[in-house]
């Protein structure tokens, strides 16, 4: 992963991260694990997180194999549960360890039927957006202490995203991909609004966004394979997972290692800027080396972002502040 076959881009162009702590959500596999490996290679202390303790321990062992010099640990975090987010963040705040890099990466994609989080939110919106909104807000003092960079993972799907404020939880109408697009547009609006509020407050944090292009990640196979009751998703959902791992997608897309490049760029490139959005630079931003990505028009709407922020505060009960 250190050297790009496409152009003269490598992890060596990123800042050294010795003495810095990086927290990556959804990092027991896929993009999150590759981001963890990349940051570890640059010297960061790594906090892996995910819902499953057994998978977490296995991921930590794989991280040690990939980067023998790494220092890190695994912590249980279920972004589909506000109680889990609160428990996780309380434990981190009790440790008092500043966080220098936060990768809001975990995600669930397109379960065939409407599923809900532990708190009754539609699963994709609740996990992909609300979970990360609550996590970042509760960690704000530690992020400020670390002058942290917060990178939120969006998707090309955000280009067609909409925010139906009258039905954000899809109680009246559910479409798997429409609700995934909604959650990814929300991720972009959150990253942009966090940047504006950080500069206005001011909070010493740096908010950016990134997307992986067409990367053959395991977002469906690993993150959406079970509903919150532990039941398998439908055959339709499993078919999406196979498509993401199939030969056609591989031919048109890129590897998960390559998909992690824009995420790493946003987190640790000396050229990355606050409030910007990064992705692959190839055709339609599907593949290639990292650079600036195209913002969907709705993601540039300040009023829409402020409204989403207010609604997210009400839904999660999390208010941002340094106290």
């Amino acid at each position: 992963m250190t050297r790009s076959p496409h152009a003269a881009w490598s992890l060596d162009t990123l800042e050294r991260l010795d003495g810095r702590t990086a927290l990556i959500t959804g990092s027991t596999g896929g993009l999150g694990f590759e981001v963890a490996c990349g940051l570890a290679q640059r010297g960061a202390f790594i906090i892996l997180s995910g819902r499953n303790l057994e998978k977490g321990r296995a991921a930590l062992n794989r991280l040690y194999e990939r980067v023998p010099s790494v220092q890190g640990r695994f912590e249980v975090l279920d972004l589909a549960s506000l109680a889990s987010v609160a428990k996780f963040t309380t434990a981190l705040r009790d440790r008092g360890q500043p966080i220098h890099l936060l990768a809001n990466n975990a995600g669930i994609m397109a379960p065939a039927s409407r599923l809900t989080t532990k708190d009754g939110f539609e699963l994709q919106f609740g996990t992909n957006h609300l979970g990360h909104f609550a996590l970042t807000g509760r960690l704000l003092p530690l992020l400020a202490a670390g002058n942290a960079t917060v990178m939120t993972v969006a998707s090309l799907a955000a280009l067609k995203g909409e925010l139906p404020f009258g039905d954000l939880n899809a109680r009246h109408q559910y479409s798997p991909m429409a609700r995934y697009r909604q959650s990814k547009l929300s991720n972009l609006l959150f990253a942009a609004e966090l940047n504006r509020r950080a500069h206005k407050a001011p909070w010493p944090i740096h908010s950016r966004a990134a997307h992986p292009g067409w990367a053959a990640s395991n977002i469906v196979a690993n993150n959406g394979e079970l509903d919150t009751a532990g039941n398998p998703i439908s055959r339709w959902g499993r078919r999406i997972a196979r498509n993401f791992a199939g030969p056609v997608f591989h031919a048109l897309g890129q590897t998960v290692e390559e998909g992690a490049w824009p995420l790493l760029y946003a987190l640790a490139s000396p050229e990355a800027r606050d409030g910007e959005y990064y992705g692959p630079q190839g055709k339609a931003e599907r593949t290639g080396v990292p650079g600036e990505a195209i913002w969907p028009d709705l993601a540039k709407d300040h009023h829409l972002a402020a409204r989403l922020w207010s609604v997210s505060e009400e839904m999660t009960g999390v208010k941002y502040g340094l106290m």
Side-chain angles (χ1 to χ4, degrees):
M1 179 177 168
T2 57
R3 186 62 58 182
S4 161
H6 300 303
W9 186 88
S10 75
L11 290 183
D12 295 337
T13 64
L14 303 181
E15 297 177 350
R16 286 298 306 177
L17 302 171
D18 306 276
R20 302 188 195 181
T21 296
L23 166 61
I24 306 99
T25 68
S27 46
T28 59
L31 287 168
F33 181 74
E34 292 302 329
V35 169
C37 289
L39 297 177
Q41 289 182 49
R42 301 307 292 162
F45 181 96
I46 302 298
I47 302 177
L48 299 177
S49 66
R51 296 176 297 175
N52 186 289
L53 180 59
E54 184 177 341
K55 286 185 177 181
R57 288 172 173 168
L60 190 59
N61 287 334
R62 293 200 311 276
L63 181 61
Y64 287 137
E65 292 172 0
R66 285 273 295 271
V67 190
S69 62
V70 69
Q71 297 183 57
R73 67 178 187 268
F74 172 79
E75 301 277 358
V76 173
L77 170 63
D78 183 0
L79 288 164
S81 165
L82 292 178
S84 176
V85 172
K87 181 179 179 180
F88 174 84
T89 53
T90 297
L92 286 186
R93 290 179 64 163
D94 287 346
R95 287 175 181 260
Q97 181 180 6
I99 296 173
H100 304 89
L101 301 159
L102 171 60
N104 286 328
N105 163 77
I108 290 174
M109 180 180 181
S113 57
R114 180 185 181 272
L115 304 175
T116 61
T117 69
K118 302 293 194 304
D119 305 282
F121 305 130
E122 189 276 317
L123 189 62
Q124 296 178 89
F125 182 68
T127 302
N128 301 357
H129 169 62
L130 292 176
H132 283 120
F133 180 91
L135 175 73
T136 306
R138 289 186 176 277
L139 288 178
L140 193 60
L142 295 184
L143 296 169
N147 190 28
T149 296
V150 179
M151 184 279 302
T152 302
V153 179
S155 166
L156 288 170
L159 288 167
K160 296 183 179 180
E162 298 179 348
L163 281 184
F165 280 102
D167 191 27
L168 287 175
N169 277 318
R171 290 190 177 92
H172 303 297
Q173 184 175 8
Y174 178 78
S175 166
M177 281 306 300
R179 295 301 174 164
Y180 179 67
R181 296 183 189 111
Q182 170 191 323
S183 74
K184 292 289 104 179
L185 174 61
S186 297
N187 288 150
L188 272 182
L189 288 163
F190 165 68
E193 185 68 8
L194 179 60
N195 175 65
R196 287 188 286 268
R197 290 177 183 246
H199 281 270
K200 182 178 180 180
W203 300 321
I205 62 172
H206 312 274
S207 178
R208 303 161 186 173
H211 76 81
W214 280 15
S217 75
N218 56 358
I219 185 172
V220 179
N222 284 348
N223 292 318
E225 64 184 357
L226 301 177
D227 64 21
T228 52
N231 301 312
I233 62 172
S234 72
R235 285 177 293 178
W236 187 90
R238 290 195 294 273
R239 187 164 66 248
I240 292 180
R242 288 195 299 270
N243 289 341
F244 265 71
V248 174
F249 188 86
H250 275 284
L252 298 177
Q254 58 186 1
T255 67
V256 66
E257 292 89 348
E258 292 164 334
W261 293 344
L263 284 57
L264 289 163
Y265 185 95
L267 280 165
S269 172
E271 298 179 0
R273 302 189 305 276
D274 297 352
E276 292 296 338
Y277 181 32
Y278 297 97
Q281 296 300 285
K283 183 178 180 180
E285 297 184 9
R286 294 171 182 167
T287 64
V289 298
E292 291 189 14
I294 297 173
W295 287 83
D297 288 340
L298 285 180
K300 296 183 286 187
D301 187 327
H302 293 199
H303 297 293
L304 188 67
R307 184 180 180 187
L308 176 64
W309 188 283
S310 178
V311 168
S312 300
E313 285 184 332
E314 293 175 6
M315 296 175 83
T316 63
V318 174
K319 305 283 187 179
Y320 276 53
L322 294 180
M323 296 299 292

